[in-house]
Amino acid sequence: MKTIYALLTLIGAALPFSQFILWLTEYGFNFTLFFQQIIENPLAIFAWLDVIVTVIVIVFMVMNEGKNLKMKRLWIPIAASFIGGASVGLPLFLYMKQCHFEKIDLKRS
């Protein structure tokens, strides 16, 4: 599963950012236009609100599960969620969790 989570993290970063880069190429750093376009219709607002709520859930899940499992560097998937979105933060945390489990298993052996 670790390999799948790593691959999903890369895909989760590459796909959304490929579209954002296209937008930046066309419009530059026009943040006024950016915010106008992300709230210009109910479907866009729906998608952004879904992402925002999902990122909040991921942050609480990472903090809770990570603390219970005594994981380190929990700030990384949290930051990835805010910077890259849920499609980066969630699979990254799951990857880190698998690595943590493997490390625990190695110590027990």
Side-chain angles (χ1 to χ4, degrees), residues 56-69 74-75 77-78 93:
I56 292 168
V57 170
I58 290 169
V59 168
F60 281 103
M61 181 194 68
V62 167
M63 291 181 350
N64 183 57
E65 283 195 42
K67 182 180 175 187
N68 289 340
L69 294 170
L74 295 175
W75 65 270
I78 291 172
F93 174 70

Side-chain angles (χ1 to χ4, degrees), residues 4 6 10 14 16 20-21 38 41 44 56 62-63 85 103 105 107:
I4 293 171
L10 294 174
F20 184 59
I21 289 168
I38 66 173
N41 64 61
I56 292 168
V62 167
M63 291 181 350
K103 187 177 178 182
D105 287 342
K107 286 182 180 180

Side-chain angles (χ1 to χ4, degrees), residues 23 33-53:
W23 188 89
L33 179 62
F34 176 77
F35 287 109
Q36 284 174 349
Q37 288 186 352
I38 66 173
I39 63 168
E40 73 183 347
N41 64 61
L43 188 56
I45 294 170
F46 160 79
W48 277 100
L49 290 175
D50 183 61
V51 169
I52 290 167
V53 170

